[in-house]
Amino acid sequence: MDDAHPQPPAADGGRRRPDATQRAEALKERIYVTFTSLAVVIAVERSGTHASVGGAATTLVLTVLGTLLAVLVSDLLAHMVREEALPDRAEIRHLLWVSLGSLSVVVLPLVLLGAAALGLLGLDVALRTISVVLVLTLVLVTLLAVRRLRVRLGVKVGALVGIALLGVAVLVVELAVH
């Protein structure tokens, strides 16, 4: 994988390079968490006068953890149905690596909420900044996904622009709904 994301442990405890399917699973999970986080942050921002830094952080963390647990359980069940067996240790470690690695998506948003808690930023500024950071995260995750593809540069750029537009569309829809 790349240097920014840890590799899943091998069955013998050492490191092994994840295959394309495993990398795709990790990137897919980060997309889920990023979109979920974006929706939560916008909803908290739109709640306006009822929003607090602690409430925003708690809502974000609980929503992300809930999302990751839901995906982990669904992956476990899908594995059992597909393989007609429980996952072995290596497969469980991989599933946990994918889920726990996705928590990296909310590190910067939580840092920004921490800055708001310290009075360095207003909560409204922190939430708007987090929304922008999350859209940029979508673009970064897409960049990681397409950088090794053997397709024309135009296709890669198109994917990046498309994801950025989708992220902005989520912002627009969320703002219009609230």
Side-chain angles (χ1 to χ4, degrees), residues 49-103:
T49 59
H50 303 297
S52 69
V53 174
T58 301
T59 301
L60 180 60
V61 168
L62 291 177
T63 303
V64 167
L65 288 176
T67 300
L68 292 177
L69 286 173
V71 173
L72 180 61
V73 168
S74 68
D75 285 346
L76 284 169
L77 290 173
H79 174 88
M80 292 185 318
V81 168
R82 183 178 58 248
E83 303 296 327
E84 297 183 3
L86 293 171
D88 63 22
R89 277 190 150 149
E91 292 161 332
I92 289 173
R93 273 196 301 271
H94 169 70
L95 292 173
L96 290 171
W97 171 77
V98 168
S99 291
L100 295 176
S102 297
L103 289 173

Side-chain angles (χ1 to χ4, degrees), residues 134-154:
L134 290 170
V135 171
L136 293 175
T137 299
L138 290 171
V139 173
L140 177 63
V141 170
T142 303
L143 178 62
L144 292 172
V146 301
R147 71 184 181 148
R148 293 183 183 165
L149 294 180
R150 293 184 183 117
V151 296
R152 293 185 334 244
L153 179 61

Side-chain angles (χ1 to χ4, degrees), residues 102-125:
S102 297
L103 289 173
S104 64
V105 168
V106 295
V107 170
L108 190 51
L110 290 174
V111 167
L112 289 165
L113 287 172
L118 294 172
L120 302 174
L121 295 172
L123 179 57
D124 56 337
V125 172

